[in-house]
């Protein structure tokens, strides 16, 4: 397969499409290596538009780590919009990388990072444009290994027939290990062909190769068992966990986009994992244990990233950034360093009960006072106990009152609708909470110039969480509750105009629920949707619920069976052979605790409650305080 640049052919198409700049590459800190000097070549894909995919932290980290390896190159590819897709098909231009515009099919590995299941149809488009057979069994040695990662890869079964392999968990170390396996296999003359390489990857227990596992079903449609069909293939595949994050200070050279993207900032992940135990939160469950970066490494990463990128905003990322054991010292140290400069700091994710005004003041010291966002998730105290989001109404009112009194004028509150055991009164409690927030803000400031935005998403039960057995709420009920809530807020003459209301209807959540807890039979639905024109399903203007339901009916998949059906304790779930380290009995007990409104503490600050991750994965919680200090930057 030739790896010559496709740009001369692509360039002629670009004047005919919207935002052509997203396809030209050449960003600051992008890397183009000599093709012939590399023995292993990766194409890394984020299966969404450039503006969403370029800022993705996971892809940027792997891109940099792989390009640091000798005789290895990595380039990036993103989903192309339908206007360019049509022109590429008409002119025979295949899927390309943005770095050197090489054909994706020429690479050894196509690594796809799935943050959400709604990117599956975009993968199909990329494979088809690249000339790679959609079904893994049809691929030859001329095709790359199609490898999935990201949070959605913890249940890759709905696209198992279209993947060669999947990796669970952190990618830094396993990407290097896979590269070495491919290098050795090539050096030995590619023994066993494509299957020989896949078998080497599978035998380690760290790479899941779906074709080496057979799924057997019971007469009622439930799974009987999932078993390996090759000698040497392990019965379970384990997730990867990077310990000592200080040893992995990536990205060191962040990519600076040419076109506008959804996040115009340099992001530093200050810790990985979360043990708050929110029962709905797949990210918190699958990324355990908590591993903090030290205050000094965070400072070094910020200084280096600002220097290398020129970004004027720095985001300190994690699942709950204010929970870092030295967050006050981090905030003050960075605010001191960058006071009087054009560099601002942000803390994108903050829990109500971890927030304090001193922290907020440090982050806004450079004069930026945008709105504050908090996520109570549940509208009533009872719901917050069910989901283990231990935030009381008093916590929320106290926090927002302090914020309003210190000069903030906008607060955004995020909730979910359709949670297990939820009733109408729980959703209507959101209106009461919003009214109390506005009332408290007016009283604290003596001003009516107070705003609160209520944002609501539909709940989707996810694998590897205590709610993996739960029945999903049907979209009719979700939509009815949200309509009633909207009317309640609109008709409130005293507070209604001060409360913004944003919500997503329940239909996309049903499709996401089908994909998140589906098995291999759901793959037929995805293929039928894609063949019918399904693209960019994460974008409301492109998503079609009717298309998904029509496809499911045509291939004989009962959507309700996968979504609104509650599972029994001992039912074999499609992802049971994929080990996130969580003890299944502990997850089931936590589900029972949810039904009894029982809360669970955070094991960072209390004794271990036996979720199973640390002993089964050979890991441990890594938190401070370190007692180190951030020194002022030396001016050269």
């Amino acid at each position: 397969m030739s790896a010559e640049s496709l740009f001369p052919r692509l360039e002629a198409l670009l004047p005919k499409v919207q935002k052509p700049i997203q396809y030209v590459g050449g960003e600051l800190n992008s890397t183009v290596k000599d093709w012939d000097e590399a023995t292993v070549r990766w194409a890394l894909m984020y299966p969404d538009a450039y503006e969403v995919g370029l800022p993705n932290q996971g892809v940027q980290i792997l891109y940099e780590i792989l390009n640091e390896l000798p005789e290895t190159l990595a380039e990036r590819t993103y989903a192309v919009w339908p206007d360019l897709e049509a022109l590429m098909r008409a002119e025979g231009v295949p899927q390309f990388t943005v770095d050197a515009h090489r054909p994706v099919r020429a690479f050894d590995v196509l690594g796809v990072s799935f943050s959400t299941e709604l990117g599956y149809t975009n993968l199909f488009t990329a494979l088809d444009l690249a000339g790679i057979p959609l079904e893994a069994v049809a691929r030859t040695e001329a095709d790359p290994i199609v490898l999935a990662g990201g949070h959605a890869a913890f249940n890759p079964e709905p696209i198992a027939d279209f993947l060669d392999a999947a990796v669970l968990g952190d990618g830094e170390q396993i990407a290097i290990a896979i590269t070495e396996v491919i290098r050795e296999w090539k050096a030995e003359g590619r023994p066993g062909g494509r299957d020989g390489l896949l078998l080497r990857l599978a035998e380690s227990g760290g790479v899941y190769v779906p074709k080496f596992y057979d799924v057997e079903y019971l007469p009622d449609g439930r799974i009987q068992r999932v078993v390996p069909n090759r000698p040497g293939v392990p019965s379970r595949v384990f997730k990867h966990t990077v310990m000592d994050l200080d040893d992995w200070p990536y990205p060191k050279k962040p990519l600076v986009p040419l076109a506008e993207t959804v996040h115009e900032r340099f992001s530093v992940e200050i810790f990985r994992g979360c043990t708050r135990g929110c029962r709905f939160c797949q990210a918190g469950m699958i990324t355990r244990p908590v591993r903090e970066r030290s205050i000094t490494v965070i400072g070094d990463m910020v200084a280096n990233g600002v220097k290398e990128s020129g970004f004027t905003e720095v985001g300190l990322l994690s699942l709950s950034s204010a929970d870092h054991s030295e967050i006050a010292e981090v905030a003050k140290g960075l605010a001191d360093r960058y006071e009087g400069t054009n560099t601002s700091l942000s803390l994108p994710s903050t829990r109500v009960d971890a927030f304090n005004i001193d922290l907020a003041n440090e982050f806004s010291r450079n004069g930026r006072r945008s709105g504050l966002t908090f996520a109570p998730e549940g509208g009533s105290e009872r719901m917050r106990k069910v989901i283990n989001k231990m935030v009381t109404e008093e916590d929320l009112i106290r926090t927002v009152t302090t914020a309003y009194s210190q000069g903030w004028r906008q607060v955004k509150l995020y909730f979910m609708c359709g949670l297990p055991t939820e009733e109408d009164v729980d959703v209507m409690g959101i209106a009461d909470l919003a009214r109390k927030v506005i009332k408290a803000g007016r009283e604290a400031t003596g001003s009516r110039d107070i705003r609160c935005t209520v944002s609501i998403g539909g709940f989707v039960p996810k694998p590897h969480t205590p709610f993996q057995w739960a029945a999903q709420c049907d979209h009719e009920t979700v939509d009815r509750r949200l309509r009633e809530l909207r009317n309640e807020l609109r008709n409130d003459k005293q507070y209604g105009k001060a409360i913004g209301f944003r919500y997503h209807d329940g239909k996309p959540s049903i499709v996401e629920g089908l994909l998140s807890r589906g098995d291999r039979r759901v793959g037929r639905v995805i293929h039928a949707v894609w063949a019918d024109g399904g693209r960019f399903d994460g974008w409301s203007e492109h998503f079609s619920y009717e298309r998904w339901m029509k496809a499911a009916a045509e291939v004989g998949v009962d959507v309700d069976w996968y979504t609104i059906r509650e599972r029994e304790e001992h039912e074999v779930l499609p992802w049971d052979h994929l080990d996130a380290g969580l003890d299944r009995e502990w997850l089931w007990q936590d589900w029972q605790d949810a039904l009894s409104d029982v809360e669970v503490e955070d094991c960072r600050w209390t004794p271990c409650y036996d979720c199973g991750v640390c002993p089964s994965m050979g890991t441990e919680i890594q938190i401070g305080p370190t007692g180190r200090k951030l020194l002022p930057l030396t001016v050269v």
Side-chain angles (χ1 to χ4, degrees), residues 94-374:
Q95 182 79 20
F96 56 89
T97 60
V98 295
D99 296 286
H101 300 93
R102 289 160 172 153
V104 164
R105 192 178 182 219
F107 288 76
D108 297 305
V109 185
L110 172 60
V112 191
S113 179
F114 287 107
S115 299
T116 168
E117 298 84 1
L118 293 174
Y120 291 159
T121 50
N122 284 351
L123 169 64
F124 283 29
T125 304
L127 292 174
D128 192 54
L129 284 172
I132 301 168
L134 292 186
E135 296 200 1
V137 293
R139 292 176 196 144
T140 69
E141 282 192 51
D143 299 300
I145 299 297
V146 180
L147 172 73
H151 286 185
F154 276 80
N155 177 27
E157 291 302 276
I159 52 169
D161 290 341
F162 311 97
L163 295 176
D164 294 301
V167 168
L168 280 59
D170 299 335
E172 290 94 334
Q173 291 164 320
I174 187 62
I176 295 172
I178 289 170
T179 300
E180 290 311 308
V181 169
I182 295 171
R183 196 189 315 281
E184 290 173 7
W185 171 76
K186 281 186 163 186
E188 293 168 16
R190 305 174 185 245
R194 189 180 185 86
D195 273 12
L197 173 57
L198 291 172
L199 198 56
R200 288 189 186 201
L201 294 171
E203 286 173 340
S204 67
V207 178
Y208 175 51
V209 179
K211 70 184 286 185
F212 294 159
Y213 295 80
D214 291 333
V215 183
E216 299 170 6
Y217 300 95
L218 295 166
D220 63 4
R222 291 175 301 150
I223 293 172
Q224 181 175 18
R225 62 177 189 155
V226 180
V227 290
N229 57 30
R230 298 281 184 106
V233 174
S235 58
R236 296 178 72 76
V237 178
F238 299 94
K239 80 166 182 179
H240 299 270
T241 305
V242 169
M243 303 302 292
D244 303 312
L245 286 184
D246 280 359
D247 296 338
W248 299 87
Y250 294 91
K252 298 173 184 174
K253 290 182 175 289
L255 292 163
V256 181
L258 295 175
E260 185 179 359
T261 60
V262 292
H263 297 304
E264 298 283 342
R265 65 183 178 220
F266 171 56
S267 298
V268 174
E269 185 183 28
I270 63 174
F271 70 85
R272 201 171 285 183
C274 182
T275 45
R276 285 283 191 165
C278 301
R279 294 177 174 122
F280 60 85
C281 182
Q282 185 190 47
M285 293 289 170
I286 64 177
T287 58
R288 295 178 178 207
V290 173
R291 292 145 286 150
E292 288 185 357
R293 279 201 167 99
S294 67
I295 179 173
T296 47
V297 169
I298 292 169
D300 292 345
M301 289 178 70
V302 171
N304 179 71
V306 169
K307 177 171 72 76
E308 294 288 346
S309 69
F311 280 122
T312 56
E313 182 182 345
V314 178
L316 302 185
L317 300 189
S318 78
L319 292 174
S320 181
S321 297
D323 282 340
H324 191 286
S325 63
E326 293 184 300
I327 191 63
E329 292 83 358
V330 170
K332 184 178 186 312
L334 290 175
D336 286 346
R337 277 187 173 185
Y338 295 102
E339 187 168 16
T341 72
N342 67 346
T343 300
S344 64
L345 307 168
S346 64
L347 205 62
S349 94
T350 314
R351 283 180 61 104
V352 171
D353 48 348
F355 175 88
N356 65 71
I357 207 66
D358 293 334
L359 193 60
N361 284 335
E362 294 291 6
F363 278 101
S364 63
R365 208 195 291 176
N366 258 358
R368 289 195 55 187
R369 288 220 165 175
S370 52
L372 295 169
T373 301
F374 301 107

Side-chain angles (χ1 to χ4, degrees), residues 488-547:
E488 174 78 8
L489 291 171
R490 278 185 178 171
N491 296 333
D492 190 316
K493 291 186 170 59
Q494 190 173 5
Y495 298 111
K497 288 186 178 178
I499 301 171
F501 186 58
R502 297 178 187 164
Y503 69 93
H504 302 285
D505 66 68
K507 289 178 178 177
S509 297
I510 290 294
V511 172
E512 190 180 340
L514 169 70
L515 300 178
S516 70
R517 291 195 292 175
D519 53 38
R520 295 187 182 185
R521 294 168 291 190
V522 171
R524 303 196 303 270
V525 183
I526 304 168
H527 186 274
V529 166
W530 173 79
D532 193 33
R535 307 287 190 275
F536 289 93
D537 286 292
W539 296 67
S540 56
E541 61 266 43
H542 292 274
F543 174 81
S544 167
Y545 179 76
E546 291 69 28
R547 181 189 283 132

